[in-house]
Each structure stands twice: as C-alpha cells, then as structure tokens.
C-alpha cells in the first residue's frame, strides 16, 4: 500500500513556505496571497512544528475582531493542535484524517515532530 513517503513532494524533499512564531500576520498573508496557498506551518528555529496559520485562522482570529495584522503574530492566531502524519502513514489513512477532521493541509513530521513537508489535500488525492 502507498504511503505518504511515496508522494513525490515528500520523496524529493520539495520546499514549502513556512514562518516563525514571531512573524506578523500581514507578512504571512502577503506570502499566502502571492504564492496562492491557504495555510503555512509555523516552525521554531530547529524546524519543529509549533502550529499552522490558515486563511480560516486569519479570518476568525484577526479580521473578525478588527485586530491589526502588523501587530498580531503567528503565535497569537495559529492553530496549535495540529493533526500530522509520518512518512510511514498510508495514503488511505491520511485521506481519512483529512475527511474526518475537515482539514486541507497535512504536515508530515518525523518522530520528534520536526517538519519534513507540508501537503495539501490535492497532493494526497493525486497520489492515491
């Protein structure tokens, strides 16, 4: 059975956009707009996953409350309880996690929670 590790983006260790916890939401939103992406991982200095900032986080935790995107940081609005997979996770298991939890982005981490790659549901569906 195919695993997440067999997805081309993971296998070739393709690059992904990420931010640190002190990055401003305006900086994150600019990159998301330019790159046409809906979410980015938030990593510490050693590339360990701390959370994810999604368009939904920006709308619900910043825009809705009228907060200033130049003053609010990733750590202020990021989703901290992030569902992750490992390279050994089967593609079927990954798809079930996406459907069950209504998510569109899935971080691939190692056993220490260091981010290996950041997948969008479309990449996983194409790999199926």
């Amino acid at each position: 059975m195919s695993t997440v590790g067999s997805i081309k983006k993971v296998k070739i260790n393709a690059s992904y956009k990420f931010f640190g916890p002190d990055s401003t939401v305006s900086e994150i939103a600019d990159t998301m707009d330019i790159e046409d992406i809906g979410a980015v991982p938030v990593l510490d200095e050693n590339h360990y996953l701390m959370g994810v900032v999604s368009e939904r986080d920006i709308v619900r935790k910043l825009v809705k409350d009228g907060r200033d995107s130049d003053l609010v940081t990733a750590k202020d609005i990021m989703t901290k309880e992030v569902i992750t997979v490992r390279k050994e996770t089967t593609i079927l298991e990954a798809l079930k996690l996406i459907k069950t939890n209504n998510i569109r982005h899935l971080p691939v981490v190692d056993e220490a929670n260091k981010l290996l790659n950041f997948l969008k549901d479309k990449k996983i569906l194409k790999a199926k």
Side-chain angles (χ1 to χ4, degrees):
M1 181 168 287
S2 294
T3 64
V4 169
S6 68
I7 296 172
K8 184 178 179 183
K9 185 176 179 180
V10 176
K11 193 185 300 187
I12 65 169
N13 197 25
S15 63
Y16 51 87
K17 297 290 179 184
F18 65 91
F19 289 88
D22 295 321
S23 299
T24 64
V25 176
S26 60
E27 176 187 7
I28 294 169
D30 281 344
T31 298
M32 290 170 71
D33 180 39
I34 292 166
E35 299 290 331
D36 193 29
I37 51 179
V40 292
V42 178
L43 308 179
D44 71 10
E45 62 278 351
N46 296 311
H47 278 76
Y48 290 99
L49 183 66
M50 297 177 67
V52 171
V53 173
S54 67
E55 294 167 323
R56 186 179 297 168
D57 292 321
I58 292 170
V59 169
R60 291 182 178 173
K61 299 172 185 172
L62 181 111
V63 175
K64 183 184 94 157
D65 297 330
R67 298 170 76 186
D68 186 338
S69 63
D70 289 324
L71 301 177
V72 177
T73 63
K75 69 181 170 215
D76 296 327
I77 68 162
M78 69 184 179
T79 298
K80 295 176 183 132
E81 299 294 322
V82 180
I83 295 165
T84 62
V85 293
R86 304 238 310 257
K87 290 193 321 186
E88 301 80 24
T89 304
T90 67
I91 290 174
L92 184 59
E93 290 172 308
L95 290 170
K96 284 181 185 177
L97 282 171
I98 286 170
K99 185 175 181 177
T100 302
N101 295 285
N102 193 30
I103 56 176
R104 294 186 307 185
H105 299 86
L106 200 54
V108 181
V109 297
D110 66 12
E111 52 282 337
N113 207 38
K114 188 172 184 177
L115 189 66
L116 302 174
N117 219 298
F118 193 68
L119 298 175
K120 179 148 177 51
D121 56 358
K122 291 178 186 175
K123 294 281 184 195
I124 298 169
L125 289 171
K126 286 181 184 178
K128 186 177 171 197

